[in-house]
Structure formats: structure tokens, C-alpha cells
């Protein structure tokens, strides 16, 4: 596609429910990143994919968080048993090139998750 | 790992004046430094970047400077306009290490008409 597409744009869920967030990167971009942005805060790294593998998942805050990427394209971030502290904007970005790419990221508009 | 500090957290300038945002980084191996602009309800957008083999880069009203010895880099916006109002993030990355960018905490820039 023309840009990075994320869905849903907004999600309100009850505490304890599971949620899935979707990211559709720019066609041909091999690298995909998930970041979390809490209200008024910076961007917190969650996980990085190169193709379908995740060489760096060091930012996932707990085992309730998981992500996968299939076909080297779409990625889903799953949060199980959501907690109120999970409320944030979840941003996805993709970049072209291979390992050691010098290209910048292209971000999607994010999914605003609210846990009530 | 890398740690990026950014200041100020908020900045207000009169339209037409210049704005400067500063960042410091901790990992001397970092060699790529992009700046992103985030408007309300949107994802961050890359506006300019610089590599460690360059000391300064300009793109119209925007410039970035890098001091590798001091490990700091700055964003300069001249002749500011209302549409420059946004949150700006700096970031750093080691191209030969892990692949992720480490971001600063952001600066909310407000241009006063």
C-alpha cells in the first residue's frame, strides 16, 4: 500500500480481555517495528521483525504481549488479559532494505487502546 | 543500551523566530540520527536525518547539527510558521548493532502567531 496501515484506529476493551492489533506495512518493506506511546510520553520500543523472524523482542513488557508476522507482511500484536496500564497508542513502522539498512522508518497512525 | 535525552520538553516561539531542540545520546557507537515530527492524531513522520560522518545537514528551513565528541545533536527550525507546531522526537541508532531506533522523550513546539 501507499503507507503503513494500522487497524483498528481506536479500541476500547474491558480489563482482562484479549486484544489484537494489526499492522500492514508498506509493500516490500522487510523490517517492521512496534512501539508504544503512552499519553504525553516518548516512543517505547516493543519488538522488531526482519521478514518473519523477530531478532529483537526485548521491549515486550510482559509475557501477556506477543507478536507475529506472516508472509513477511502483515503483523499482529496481541495483548492478553489487558490491564489499565496497557492503555496507550500502539505504533507500527516499517522500513525498506535489509540488515544494517540506513533508511528511516515510516510510521502508521497508530491504534489508540483504552482499557476500562 | 542506548539512552537519548531531549530538551526542552516544551517550547513556545513567536512566528518567524527560530526554534532549537537539543538531544544527547549515550552510546558512542550510534551513527544515525533522525528527527521526527508528530502532529495530533498521526504517527511520527521523518523530517530530516544525519549520519555520523556529517556534521551538519540542511533542508530548506530545517537543519540538524551533530557533535560526535560531545555526543549531542540539535534540530534548528528557522522562520517558524504555525504549521511547525507539533511534537518533535529525536532518535539514535547504531547501524551495525541492533536495528531499532531509540527515541528521545519529545518536545512540544508551539508557534505563537
Amino acid at each position: 500500500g501507499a503507507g503503513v496501515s494500522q487497524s483498528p484506529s481506536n479500541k476500547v476493551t474491558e480489563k482482562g480481555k484479549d486484544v489484537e492489533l494489526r499492522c500492514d506495512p508498506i509493500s516490500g518493506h522487510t523490517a517492521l517495528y512496534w512501539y508504544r506511546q503512552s499519553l504525553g510520553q516518548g516512543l517505547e520500543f516493543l519488538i522488531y521483525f526482519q521478514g518473519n523472524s523477530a531478532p529483537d523482542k526485548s521491549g515486550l513488557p510482559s509475557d501477556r504481549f506477543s507478536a507475529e508476522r506472516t508472509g513477511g507482511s502483515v503483523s499482529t500484536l496481541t495483548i492478553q488479559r489487558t490491564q489499565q496500564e496497557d492503555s496507550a497508542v500502539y505504533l507500527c513502522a516499517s522500513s525498506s532494505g535489509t540488515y544494517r539498512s540506513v533508511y528511516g522508518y515510516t510510521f502508521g497512525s497508530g491504534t489508540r487502546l483504552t482499557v476500562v | 543500551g542506548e539512552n537519548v535525552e531531549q530538551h526542552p520538553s516544551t517550547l513556545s516561539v513567536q512566528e518567524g523566530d527560530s526554534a532549537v531542540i537539543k538531544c544527547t545520546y549515550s552510546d558512542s557507537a550510534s551513527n544515525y540520527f533522525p528527527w521526527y515530527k508528530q502532529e495530533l492524531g498521526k504517527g511520527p513522520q521523518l523530517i530530516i536525518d544525519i549520519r555520523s560522518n556529517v556534521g551538519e545537514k540542511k533542508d530548506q528551513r530545517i537543519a540538524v547539527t551533530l557533535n560526535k565528541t560531545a555526543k549531542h545533536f540539535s534540530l534548528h527550525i528557522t522562520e517558524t510558521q504555525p504549521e511547525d507546531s507539533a511534537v518533535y522526537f529525536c532518535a539514535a541508532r547504531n547501524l551495525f548493532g541492533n536495528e531499532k531506533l531509540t527515541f528521545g522523550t519529545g518536545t512540544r513546539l508551539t508557534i505563537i502567531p
Side-chain angles (χ1 to χ4, degrees):
Chain A
V4 177
S5 178
Q6 291 189 246
S7 61
S9 55
N10 282 282
K11 176 71 176 180
V12 179
T13 189
E14 292 181 351
K15 178 181 174 182
K17 300 282 189 182
D18 298 351
V19 294
E20 277 192 359
L21 312 180
R22 175 188 169 103
C23 173
D24 196 347
I26 291 174
S27 179
H29 278 194
T30 58
L32 186 147
Y33 310 82
W34 284 98
Y35 283 79
R36 179 168 71 174
Q37 186 174 29
S38 301
L39 185 63
Q41 300 300 308
L43 295 122
E44 176 190 5
F45 170 77
L46 297 178
I47 188 169
Y48 153 63
F49 287 92
Q50 179 62 42
N52 290 336
S53 64
D56 189 352
K57 54 180 76 172
S58 62
L60 295 177
S62 75
D63 58 7
R64 296 187 296 105
F65 288 73
S66 63
E68 65 175 12
R69 188 180 186 194
T70 55
S73 181
V74 172
S75 175
T76 55
L77 176 68
T78 302
I79 309 173
Q80 296 179 308
R81 305 180 302 282
T82 51
Q83 303 295 313
Q84 288 186 328
E85 60 263 29
D86 300 334
S87 297
V89 174
Y90 289 81
L91 289 161
C92 175
S94 69
S95 69
S96 60
T98 57
Y99 185 67
R100 298 179 183 177
S101 164
V102 301
Y103 299 107
Y105 299 176
T106 300
F107 280 91
S109 295
T111 294
R112 181 175 298 277
L113 175 67
T114 304
V115 182
V116 298
Chain B
E2 176 65 275
N3 181 50
V4 177
E5 295 188 355
Q6 180 173 350
H7 58 93
S9 57
T10 60
L11 178 61
S12 296
V13 301
Q14 290 291 140
E15 182 178 353
D17 288 351
S18 294
V20 180
I21 302 170
K22 299 181 179 181
C23 289
T24 60
Y25 60 99
S26 62
D27 187 352
S28 56
S30 288
N31 47 25
Y32 176 65
F33 307 94
W35 286 87
Y36 286 81
K37 176 183 181 182
Q38 186 176 29
E39 297 175 325
L40 194 61
K42 298 183 180 180
Q45 180 180 14
L46 178 69
I47 56 172
I48 195 168
D49 57 11
I50 192 169
R51 301 184 204 179
S52 58
N53 58 347
V54 175
E56 183 176 1
K57 184 176 179 180
K58 288 184 179 180
D59 183 3
Q60 299 182 358
R61 297 186 297 107
I62 294 173
V64 57
T65 59
L66 171 66
N67 182 327
K68 285 194 300 181
T69 303
K71 289 190 285 189
H72 67 68
F73 56 113
S74 301
L75 178 71
H76 304 253
I77 306 174
T78 59
E79 301 172 12
T80 52
Q81 301 170 3
E83 54 265 35
D84 295 329
S85 293
V87 178
Y88 291 81
F89 291 96
C90 62
R93 176 185 188 185
N94 175 6
L95 294 175
F96 301 102
N98 61 51
E99 287 297 303
K100 66 177 182 285
L101 283 170
T102 300
F103 286 85
T105 50
T107 296
R108 181 174 298 280
L109 175 63
T110 302
I111 307 303
I112 304 166

